[in-house]
Amino acid sequence: QRLKAAVHYSVGCLCQEVEEDKDVQFSKQSIAAISEITFRQCGTAALAPECFLTLCRHAKRTTVTTEDVKLLARRSNSLLKYITQKSEELASSNMEQKEKKKKKSSAAKGERTPGEQEAAVTENEDSNMT
């Protein structure tokens, strides 16, 4: 009951902020409805770890993947879109970090990156022409 009251209070505060920013009004019934929906969603989200575990077992895996998360979020288009976007951003960031590590390790070994090799070949060809 206390948790539900805390959710209701927080939703009320957020609605008040929106009222001030957007110049709209929320009725007490709409705040109560938003609070109830929020509370139920939290209850559903609390079951998510068990759902992830079930998905992994079904797929004979021990690791939860982003695809598992997307599968559980598919009922909410906006949530699925957000998770997909964040997943792509993380993947892109990881690729950039791997590239940086590769460049650092090859530079430490004295190897040239593909761009440096191309520049060296071009420079060599230019000096051979003269």
Side-chain angles (χ1 to χ4, degrees), residues 106-123:
S106 64
K109 293 178 183 176
E111 297 173 1
R112 292 183 177 171
T113 63
E116 290 172 337
Q117 288 175 349
E118 188 176 310
V121 169
T122 305
E123 185 179 301

Side-chain angles (χ1 to χ4, degrees), residues 90-106:
L90 285 171
S92 174
S93 175
N94 286 343
M95 290 296 287
E96 288 173 8
Q97 287 177 354
K98 284 181 182 179
E99 288 295 322
K100 286 180 183 177
K101 283 183 181 180
K102 237 184 211 181
K103 287 180 182 178
K104 282 183 182 178
S105 68
S106 64

Side-chain angles (χ1 to χ4, degrees), residues 55-62:
L55 284 171
C56 284
R57 284 184 183 153
H58 180 73
K60 296 179 176 61
R61 289 185 279 111
T62 56

Side-chain angles (χ1 to χ4, degrees), residues 50-70:
E50 188 175 323
C51 293
F52 290 134
L53 185 59
T54 303
L55 284 171
C56 284
R57 284 184 183 153
H58 180 73
K60 296 179 176 61
R61 289 185 279 111
T62 56
T63 304
V64 176
T65 66
T66 54
E67 296 306 313
D68 297 327
V69 177
K70 289 178 190 176

